[in-house]
Amino acid sequence: MYNKADDKMPSPIPAALSLLFLLATTCLQASQASGFDPFTQYAIGRELGEESFYPELQRQKRNVLIFDPPPLEYAIDIEVSLTDSSFLAPIKEYFRKLRFPVSTNISDVEMTVSSINITTDSCGMGEPVVMNMSVRLNTTFHDDLRNCSSELYKKYKADLDKAFNASYRCLPGFVSATTTGFRPGSVEVNYRVEAGAASFHQLAHSNTLVAQYLDEPYSIVPTSFTTEMTNHTTFTVSPARIFEGDTIQLTCEINMTSENVTWYHGGQIVLSSPQHSLQATISNATSRATLTIVNATQKDSGTYICTFAKRHLTLNLIYRGREEIDVSPLRIISYSSDSKVSCNNPEIQANSPVLFCCIDGQLPQLTGDWKVKGAVRITGVPSFSSNCTEYKLNVTDSLCSAGQSGTVTTYTCELQTGHGARSSRDIRVTYFRVAQVRMSSSVNTSVSEGYGFSLKCESDVSNYDSISWEIRSGDRIQAVECAACIRTNKSTATSMLTVNTATPDWNEKKQGNILCYSYNYTETECRQGELTAYCKFVNSIGQEVSSERMRLSPIPDEDISCSGNNVFGREGDILIKPCSVLNASFIRGNKVYKCRSKSWKMERNNCLSEQMNSLLLTAEVTCSLVNSPSAKAALPGFLQNLRNQTVLLQSDSSSANLAAIVTILYSISSIPTEAKTSTIMDYFTTVDVIVADSRKELWADLNTEETPTSSLLLNSVERFSENLQPINNTIPHLSTETLELQGMVVTEHSHADYNKDFSRLGNLTANVLIDKIETLPPNSTIVSVAYSALGRILPANENEYVNSLVISTALSCERNQNFHINMTFQKENLSLKMPRCVFWDFNLNNNRGGWDDRGCTLTEEEGNVTCSCSHLTPFSILMSSDKPAHNSAEDYITHVGLAISILSLVVCIIIESLVWKTVTNNTTSYMRHVCILNTATSLLIADVWFLVTASISEQNMQRRRNLCIAATFFIHLFYLCGFFWMLSLGLILFYRLVFILHNTSKTSQKAVVFCLGYGCPLVFAVTTIAVTLPWNTYTRRDVCWLNWNDSKAVLAFVIPALAIVAMNLFITAVVIIKILRPNIGDRTNKQERKTLFQICKSLVILTPLLGLTWGFGLATIIKNSHQAFHILFALFNALQGLFILVFGTLWDNKSTSLILVTPMFSMNYPFSRTFNNLCGKTGKYTVSSSEPSSASTENTSKSYSLLN
């Protein structure tokens, strides 16, 4: 304590600093011996700085007044922070030895320290703490503050660094304060302060000092100070290893009281929910927050952040903790595989199997449980380890009866972590019993070759995986690979092996020698008719075999012409002899002789070659599906031999050898075989050789038999591909010169369509598409084969040719009802027309086979044809060359006639428009010209569109399909309009001839004829295109006209057109009858000649105007009709426009007189007299163009106008 005058003493703060200086000075004196001179210099320079302390002393000195006021007393608290704790003991010792009071003079001011109390805190400062802080300046943000090299950035940073260091240096253990950057939002300043552990109030106090060290333009917002502490939060996670289903507990703890706690996961605030539970507690100056997550999933993995916030006027203090957690599934990575256990096996009962389940890590709290589900309730004893559980089964015979053999029992092991997560795995154990098997035979002890036998195998256990048959002869064991021989009934636990034709292979005996027997027969009397002879052999067990029948024809001696080798016959008789025996084997086939010129002449040698005969015998005896137990094993070697022999005989011209090869291929095609490349190539190469172009004549001969050999060959290849068994779930893609094979196996995971492109057979391509194959049973096979040469040797329909590859597709299972296959074929010959999607029906034509198109729809594109079918057989397309030749007489007539008609119709329309008002001076004339004008207009439009279609060539038909459809629609519409306007003209004529005294208004007649002329055709045309266009059957494929083959759309034109022709023909007959009606009195010869002339003239006029020339179309649609009808039809109808111009317009005197400026015709005009007679008028009448003066006159002129 010190005393001094009030006006001579400094303020408390300078006084305290002076006393600190005094203490420092004292310490300096003592430091010479104790060595803390560095400390005093550091303390003075750090706490006050020379620049601030000494000027203050000088100010105090200048302001001293010389008088003695009463002394004052101060109690001053001074806190000194030491960064080096080793200084603390010497300082305490020094102050303890001081003798009080202590007087000192600071700036001429006398001070007396009466006592010093020292308290120390020896906890130490520890490591400096980094505090990330921010504050907002209420100024406008400039982009230069983003650039650390800009002048503005440098100025802001320098000023702020100076202010921050001056403000926060009073913090314990202060090290530095540095500006780290600026953000927009006014100006957000980010800075970092490094100091010792500071209290909340110390930080708040330092924040208030910052503004004092900054100029006014910076304008700090006092309430915007924020401090974030990132390494002062204790974050714990339980359990340490988290699995799906566990309950997770996250805990954050800080050494500060704060009730404002927030949890974040993945940047989103975690709110309280059924899965998330939040809890916060405060105790003993600490705060704790707990987040509990129940039934955790992998979605709960990620970064979790907890934040504690405390707010003061000048400070927002945030403690933040962060932890990454990973939730993984609890996987059982090791477990017992499904197994089979024989429950009546003593060895199994003695050493019971052990089931186990293991996870991929050590969990001390792992627990487990085993559950048993199944008809066979065999339980066991569980045991556990840190990551596994085991279950030892107690297998007993009593728990597994014979009826339960094959029953599956499911054992479920369930492992639990102790925090809620669990995982389970099913292990299937099939319990079966060793079966008791009995076998019986249909024969006693032996069976003759060629006869059948059967063996029956029965078991007391019906649950089995498979049945196999074997032949044992001594030490040799041969498996029976004959799928068609074995029939199994699982419900009765029986298997039947049936052999229809026994061979030596079934008892491993070799074939013996051939024995020949002869028999002499003498005919005592010469009977008419044929004799039948055969030989029969009966063995020791009563089984017999008979030879083929031989036909013998007795011949009188006088009729014998040929008698060589004791074989007799008449002239012209046919003798069929078997082939000779060669090397102890019969040669298949025969020789045909004919008796000519008293000797037998060989007509044809159908005997097989020795090599082919050997192969045929081998196929029928050894490798046939029904005759050998080892057909499958022997097939690959046999096919290789067959291919080699066929290649050697490829230059042979014997149809018998060719037929034998096909017979062999058909015989072995039913044998199931593995889809090895070598086996398939041997089979296909054999086919390549026999279908070569050099053998076409042989095929033509063989196709005349009861079953065409080419059909049998197609059936053979198709059946062979169907019986291919995949290897490793694959069918190879391979090709030869004329065949290409592709396929696939349908598995449980097959989702792609069956889509195969065939492009290896020359220049022709094809595609096969089957969708929705996932509906087929698993392990089904689909195999497709493309043939390039087989289509040329199959019997073809008349005037139709196979114009693409032939495709066959085989399924190994039954197809469903909604099955569809789509095939796209490339045309081989683009000149052929009229494609048809066809398939080869083996049952057609009394089982001879033939092409049929049922069940298929066709879509044609440029150069390609797509067939969509609902069945599986060999497919192709047939196309016809039956098409009129280009540049024929009909073509010339059509094109020239259309040009003349178009020109004539244009002239007709022009003339009608010029003379319209004059020639339509009465109702009948008006209606007649309305009909003619609309008929001409309709035909003109139709003819123009017809010429448009002529510009569309067949090659670009598909590319210009829309134009072709439009042209077809307008041709159909306006030709029908022309017909209906002709009908209207005929009906008006009929109305005026029959209903003479009846008069209908012009308006009513116009309404009727316009509805008839345009309404009816529009209905026909629109209905036709609406019905057929969605099915792509509106137009033909080779020309722009209505379709006939697919939709019969052309009937929508033919039926109304022919109906109108028939109606107008009837009207013409009425006109003739009216002309022939006798006048009063007898007719003279002159009158009869005039009548005949009138009839001929009427026919000439009415025939083109009423469209009667279209009647020739009936003759053209008749097959093989004479070409004359085609020429007449083209001539008359192509020139119909010219006829309308001549007989409809130019023949009308009113029109021609106006054009040629000639006088009006009168009743004396011959044709007018004709039509007066038609109307029943006699005598002379004057007919002019003015309005008629009487009803009778008008009726007459109406009839005239119609016909003129």
Side-chain angles (χ1 to χ4, degrees):
M1 305 295 289
Y2 59 88
N3 297 313
K4 196 63 180 172
D6 184 54
D7 56 347
K8 296 288 182 74
M9 286 297 294
S11 61
I13 293 178
L17 295 177
S18 299
L19 181 58
L20 179 63
F21 179 75
L22 170 63
L23 294 175
T25 304
T26 305
C27 292
L28 181 61
Q29 295 173 359
S31 66
Q32 296 176 356
S34 56
F36 33 86
D37 178 66
F39 159 72
T40 57
Q41 296 178 5
Y42 177 79
I44 295 173
R46 186 177 180 90
E47 296 295 337
L48 298 177
E50 295 179 359
E51 71 280 1
S52 61
F53 178 69
Y54 290 107
E56 178 65 22
L57 294 181
Q58 294 299 326
R59 267 196 316 273
Q60 298 293 340
K61 185 176 181 180
R62 287 194 298 270
N63 295 331
V64 170
L65 298 178
I66 308 300
F67 61 90
D68 295 323
L72 298 177
E73 293 184 357
Y74 295 93
I76 302 174
D77 294 330
I78 300 176
E79 180 180 305
V80 178
S81 298
L82 302 177
T83 58
D84 190 349
S85 61
S86 64
F87 295 148
L88 183 60
I91 292 175
K92 291 172 62 178
E93 180 65 21
Y94 173 78
F95 282 119
R96 189 179 62 82
K97 293 180 179 181
L98 285 178
R99 295 180 180 181
F100 295 96
V102 178
S103 298
T104 185
N105 185 296
I106 301 176
S107 300
D108 296 332
V109 177
E110 291 293 332
M111 295 184 185
T112 300
V113 179
S114 59
S115 65
I116 297 177
N117 295 323
I118 300 175
T119 59
T120 61
D121 183 4
S122 59
C123 61
M125 302 304 300
E127 291 295 328
V129 176
V130 176
M131 293 174 284
N132 294 317
M133 306 181 69
S134 66
V135 67
R136 184 168 65 254
L137 305 181
N138 194 11
T139 58
T140 304
F141 184 85
H142 297 280
D143 287 340
D144 287 346
L145 293 177
R146 303 179 190 272
N147 183 6
C148 61
S149 61
S150 67
E151 293 298 328
L152 182 63
Y153 184 95
K154 293 178 180 179
K155 181 179 184 305
Y156 269 52
K157 178 175 172 56
D159 293 344
L160 289 169
D161 283 353
K162 183 177 179 181
F164 291 150
N165 279 279
S167 301
Y168 294 103
R169 70 174 55 207
C170 61
L171 295 178
F174 175 77
V175 177
S176 64
T178 306
T179 303
T180 58
F182 303 94
R183 293 180 287 114
S186 296
V187 176
E188 293 285 342
V189 182
N190 295 330
Y191 62 100
R192 182 175 63 248
V193 175
E194 186 175 359
S199 67
F200 181 85
H201 296 289
Q202 288 173 330
L203 289 172
H205 174 68
S206 297
N207 290 341
T208 60
L209 300 178
V210 175
Q212 299 178 16
Y213 292 98
L214 286 175
D215 296 335
E216 184 176 354
Y218 284 99
S219 183
I220 281 185
V221 180
T223 59
S224 64
F225 284 95
T226 301
T227 302
E228 182 176 335
M229 310 292 289
T230 57
N231 296 321
H232 289 71
T233 304
T234 303
F235 202 128
T236 59
V237 180
S238 177
R241 188 175 181 185
I242 304 172
F243 296 96
E244 285 187 306
D246 277 340
T247 297
I248 310 173
Q249 194 171 65
L250 309 177
T251 303
C252 281
E253 187 174 352
I254 62 172
N255 293 323
M256 186 187 73
T257 59
S258 174
E259 297 180 354
N260 189 0
V261 183
T262 306
W263 288 89
Y264 296 89
H265 175 219
Q268 303 293 324
I269 297 177
V270 179
L271 302 176
S272 181
S273 67
Q275 188 186 9
H276 300 88
S277 175
L278 305 176
Q279 185 179 6
T281 59
I282 300 176
S283 63
N284 298 327
T286 61
S287 300
R288 174 181 293 180
T290 302
L291 170 62
T292 303
I293 306 173
V294 298
N295 196 18
T297 65
Q298 286 186 303
K299 292 183 179 179
D300 295 316
S301 299
T303 302
Y304 284 82
I305 299 174
C306 66
T307 61
F308 294 87
K310 187 172 183 179
R311 183 72 185 176
H312 188 262
L313 294 177
T314 60
L315 176 62
N316 183 21
L317 181 60
I318 298 175
Y319 280 81
R320 191 183 305 275
R322 177 189 303 265
E323 194 68 37
E324 188 86 16
I325 71 171
D326 179 39
V327 181
S328 59
L330 182 62
R331 292 190 177 94
I332 296 178
I333 61 170
S334 178
Y335 53 91
S336 301
S337 59
D338 294 347
S339 59
K340 298 177 182 179
V341 175
S342 176
C343 51
N344 60 345
N345 188 332
E347 184 178 352
I348 295 295
Q349 294 175 358
N351 301 295
S352 297
V354 177
L355 308 180
F356 67 91
C357 290
C358 299
I359 63 171
D360 58 347
Q362 303 290 331
L363 292 179
Q365 298 182 3
L366 182 69
T367 60
D369 188 22
W370 287 86
K371 297 178 182 179
V372 183
K373 183 180 180 181
V376 179
R377 302 286 296 181
I378 295 179
T379 59
V381 179
S383 62
F384 301 95
S385 62
S386 60
N387 68 328
C388 289
T389 176
E390 294 182 348
Y391 197 68
K392 186 174 182 180
L393 300 176
N394 294 324
V395 179
T396 58
D397 190 7
S398 60
L399 296 176
C400 179
S401 63
Q404 293 176 324
S405 181
T407 301
V408 176
T409 298
T410 302
Y411 293 88
T412 303
C413 70
E414 184 178 77
L415 297 177
Q416 304 172 7
T417 63
H419 298 281
R422 61 185 61 202
S423 180
S424 62
R425 175 67 64 178
D426 290 341
I427 301 173
R428 295 163 54 90
V429 177
T430 304
Y431 291 101
F432 63 92
R433 297 177 61 90
V434 177
Q436 301 296 323
V437 180
R438 296 183 304 275
M439 183 178 292
S440 59
S441 174
S442 62
V443 297
N444 293 327
T445 57
S446 60
V447 63
S448 300
E449 184 177 349
Y451 280 79
F453 67 92
S454 62
L455 299 175
K456 184 178 182 181
C457 182
E458 298 177 283
S459 171
D460 62 342
V461 176
S462 59
N463 293 325
Y464 48 83
D465 293 331
S466 61
I467 291 180
S468 61
W469 287 82
E470 296 176 347
I471 300 175
R472 296 191 177 186
S473 178
D475 295 334
R476 182 177 179 182
I477 300 176
Q478 179 182 353
V480 177
E481 298 176 320
C482 181
C485 301
I486 302 172
R487 293 292 181 266
T488 301
N489 188 333
K490 194 165 187 177
S491 62
T492 60
T494 59
S495 179
M496 184 76 71
L497 173 63
T498 303
V499 179
N500 295 325
T501 305
T503 63
D505 291 307
W506 289 97
N507 62 357
E508 294 299 319
K509 290 184 179 180
K510 299 298 182 181
Q511 186 176 1
N513 295 325
I514 295 177
L515 300 179
C516 295
Y517 295 88
S518 61
Y519 178 74
N520 294 324
Y521 171 75
T522 303
E523 178 65 23
T524 58
E525 58 184 46
C526 190
R527 292 175 292 179
Q528 298 295 325
E530 291 185 344
L531 300 176
T532 302
Y534 67 94
C535 59
K536 181 172 67 174
F537 297 89
V538 181
N539 62 8
S540 59
I541 59 176
Q543 293 177 338
E544 61 184 38
V545 63
S546 299
S547 69
E548 294 182 359
R549 265 54 174 173
M550 294 172 284
R551 294 178 301 166
L552 304 175
S553 300
I555 304 173
D557 291 341
E558 61 272 14
D559 294 340
I560 295 176
S561 176
C562 299
S563 58
N565 296 326
N566 292 325
V567 178
F568 305 96
R570 304 182 185 91
E571 189 72 18
D573 280 351
I574 300 297
L575 173 63
I576 301 176
K577 294 182 64 176
C579 301
S580 59
V581 177
L582 183 64
N583 296 331
S585 62
F586 290 102
I587 299 297
R588 295 294 183 91
N590 53 55
K591 296 179 181 179
V592 180
Y593 296 86
K594 188 174 184 179
C595 181
R596 291 184 301 180
S597 303
K598 297 184 178 183
S599 65
W600 293 106
K601 307 292 186 183
M602 182 182 293
E603 292 286 316
R604 188 168 64 252
N605 185 359
N606 294 328
C607 293
L608 300 181
S609 64
E610 182 179 357
Q611 299 88 345
M612 198 54 60
N613 185 76
S614 175
L615 287 171
L616 182 59
L617 289 175
T618 304
E620 291 181 344
V621 176
T622 303
C623 286
S624 176
L625 177 65
V626 295
N627 292 339
S628 174
S630 58
K632 183 177 179 180
L635 180 61
F638 177 80
L639 278 175
Q640 185 177 10
N641 190 21
L642 175 63
R643 183 201 63 183
N644 295 335
Q645 295 299 328
T646 305
V647 171
L648 292 175
L649 294 174
Q650 60 183 342
S651 59
D652 181 64
S653 60
S654 171
S655 60
N657 286 335
L658 183 59
I661 295 174
V662 175
T663 302
I664 295 172
L665 292 174
Y666 180 78
S667 177
I668 64 178
S669 64
S670 60
I671 303 174
T673 183
E674 292 182 344
K676 295 181 179 179
T677 301
S678 58
T679 302
I680 301 173
M681 290 297 291
D682 288 339
Y683 195 99
F684 281 11
T685 302
T686 303
V687 176
D688 279 348
V689 174
I690 64 177
V691 298
D693 291 339
S694 59
R695 303 198 173 197
K696 281 186 178 181
E697 294 182 359
L698 299 179
W699 282 108
D701 184 34
L702 294 174
N703 285 338
T704 60
E705 298 180 2
E706 182 178 355
T707 298
T709 307
S710 58
S711 178
L712 187 64
L713 176 62
L714 177 60
N715 196 1
S716 303
V717 180
E718 183 181 6
R719 194 164 65 162
F720 174 77
S721 63
E722 184 178 358
N723 286 311
L724 288 175
Q725 298 176 344
I727 300 177
N728 297 327
N729 277 343
T730 58
I731 299 292
H733 178 193
L734 49 85
S735 62
T736 58
E737 186 177 350
T738 65
L739 297 171
E740 182 177 358
L741 178 140
Q742 296 189 65
M744 72 172 295
V745 179
V746 179
T747 63
E748 294 181 355
H749 306 291
S750 296
H751 299 293
D753 296 335
Y754 179 79
N755 192 345
K756 301 298 181 182
D757 292 315
F758 295 87
S759 57
R760 300 182 180 180
L761 302 179
N763 297 325
L764 292 179
T765 61
N767 173 268
V768 178
L769 173 63
I770 303 176
D771 56 3
K772 299 180 180 179
I773 63 171
E774 62 271 10
T775 61
L776 299 175
N779 300 321
S780 302
T781 59
I782 309 175
V783 181
S784 298
V785 180
Y787 314 79
S788 63
L790 204 56
R792 296 193 294 266
I793 63 175
L794 286 169
N797 298 341
E798 184 179 359
N799 295 327
E800 286 187 314
Y801 308 92
V802 176
N803 198 30
S804 68
L805 297 176
V806 177
I807 299 288
S808 67
T809 300
L811 276 176
S812 63
C813 62
E814 294 293 331
R815 61 182 183 271
N816 54 38
Q817 294 180 351
N818 297 324
F819 178 84
H820 278 89
I821 180 172
N822 297 302
M823 292 157 292
T824 301
F825 299 94
Q826 179 187 358
K827 298 178 184 177
E828 182 177 10
N829 185 353
L830 296 178
S831 64
L832 297 179
K833 310 301 174 187
M834 306 291 289
R836 283 200 304 139
C837 290
V838 293
F839 68 94
W840 187 261
D841 188 349
F842 294 101
N843 300 321
L844 205 63
N845 301 325
N846 295 324
N847 296 323
R848 284 182 52 82
W851 294 109
D852 197 356
D853 59 0
R854 291 173 298 174
C856 294
T857 59
L858 179 145
T859 302
E860 185 177 6
E861 299 175 356
E862 185 174 356
N864 294 317
V865 173
T866 299
C867 301
S868 178
C869 305
S870 58
H871 51 83
L872 289 175
T873 42
F875 292 94
S876 187
I877 58 171
L878 293 181
M879 300 185 70
S880 173
S881 60
D882 185 13
K883 184 182 178 184
H886 292 288
N887 301 324
S888 61
E890 294 94 321
D891 288 337
Y892 287 117
I893 293 173
T894 299
H895 290 95
V896 174
L898 278 178
I900 296 173
S901 284
I902 290 174
L903 181 62
S904 301
L905 291 171
V906 171
V907 174
C908 175
I909 294 172
I910 294 174
I911 292 176
E912 288 290 338
S913 63
L914 292 176
V915 301
W916 181 259
K917 291 185 179 180
T918 304
V919 299
T920 58
N921 54 358
N922 57 66
T923 301
T924 302
S925 180
Y926 177 84
M927 294 307 301
R928 170 182 179 270
H929 283 278
V930 166
C931 293
I932 291 177
L933 180 61
N934 281 280
T935 301
T937 303
S938 299
L939 292 178
L940 176 62
I941 297 175
D943 288 346
V944 170
W945 276 106
F946 191 89
L947 289 183
V948 171
T949 62
S951 65
I952 303 176
S953 63
E954 186 175 347
Q955 285 71 23
N956 59 6
M957 187 75 68
Q958 295 300 324
R959 185 166 51 87
R960 306 183 67 178
R961 182 173 179 272
N962 293 333
L963 177 61
C964 184
I965 292 174
T968 302
F969 174 79
F970 287 117
I971 292 173
H972 183 203
L973 173 63
F974 285 104
Y975 271 133
L976 281 183
C977 288
F979 273 104
F980 276 95
W981 277 110
M982 295 176 200
L983 177 62
S984 300
L985 183 63
L987 291 176
I988 292 174
L989 172 60
F990 181 79
Y991 172 73
R992 284 305 174 191
L993 288 176
V994 177
F995 303 100
I996 298 174
L997 301 178
H998 188 273
N999 192 17
T1000 306
S1001 66
K1002 182 190 299 184
T1003 303
S1004 299
Q1005 294 185 43
K1006 284 174 61 178
V1008 171
V1009 296
F1010 272 94
C1011 288
L1012 190 64
Y1014 290 116
C1016 292
L1018 187 62
V1019 170
F1020 277 103
V1022 171
T1023 302
T1024 303
I1025 193 173
V1027 171
T1028 59
L1029 187 59
W1031 300 94
N1032 199 26
T1033 56
Y1034 180 59
T1035 62
R1036 292 169 57 180
R1037 296 174 179 82
D1038 55 345
V1039 69
C1040 294
W1041 183 231
L1042 298 174
N1043 192 295
W1044 167 254
N1045 290 326
D1046 301 322
S1047 62
K1048 304 297 186 289
V1050 73
L1051 293 178
F1053 175 78
V1054 173
I1055 292 177
L1058 292 181
I1060 292 172
V1061 170
M1063 186 68 183
N1064 285 345
L1065 188 62
F1066 169 75
I1067 294 172
T1068 303
V1070 172
V1071 171
I1072 302 301
I1073 293 172
K1074 284 289 185 178
I1075 294 175
L1076 291 176
R1077 189 177 65 181
N1079 295 324
I1080 299 175
D1082 296 333
R1083 292 188 179 186
T1084 62
N1085 291 334
K1086 184 177 181 181
Q1087 289 175 331
E1088 290 180 353
R1089 286 195 299 272
K1090 287 184 177 180
T1091 300
L1092 181 61
F1093 178 74
Q1094 290 174 358
I1095 292 173
C1096 295
K1097 217 166 199 182
S1098 299
L1099 288 174
V1100 171
I1101 296 173
L1102 294 178
T1103 297
L1105 290 182
L1106 299 184
L1108 301 183
T1109 56
W1110 286 84
F1112 288 107
L1114 284 174
T1116 62
I1117 63 176
I1118 299 175
K1119 190 175 182 180
N1120 298 325
S1121 58
H1122 198 277
Q1123 191 178 7
F1125 292 103
H1126 293 265
I1127 295 175
L1128 290 174
F1129 177 75
L1131 179 64
F1132 285 120
N1133 293 292
L1135 296 175
Q1136 189 174 12
L1138 176 63
F1139 295 149
I1140 291 175
L1141 173 65
V1142 173
F1143 299 112
T1145 301
L1146 298 180
W1147 200 280
D1148 190 345
N1149 273 337
K1150 294 181 181 180
S1151 301
T1152 53
S1153 62
L1154 288 172
I1155 296 172
L1156 302 175
V1157 197
T1158 56
M1160 295 287 184
F1161 59 88
S1162 66
M1163 193 67 184
N1164 292 325
Y1165 186 73
F1167 205 64
S1168 65
R1169 289 196 301 272
T1170 301
F1171 288 100
N1172 280 326
N1173 292 334
L1174 288 177
C1175 297
K1177 305 295 181 180
T1178 58
K1180 290 188 177 182
Y1181 294 87
T1182 300
V1183 182
S1184 65
S1185 61
S1186 60
E1187 289 294 329
S1189 58
S1190 66
S1192 61
T1193 304
E1194 182 176 349
N1195 285 336
T1196 305
S1197 63
K1198 286 176 182 177
S1199 298
Y1200 174 83
S1201 299
L1202 285 170
L1203 293 176
N1204 209 16

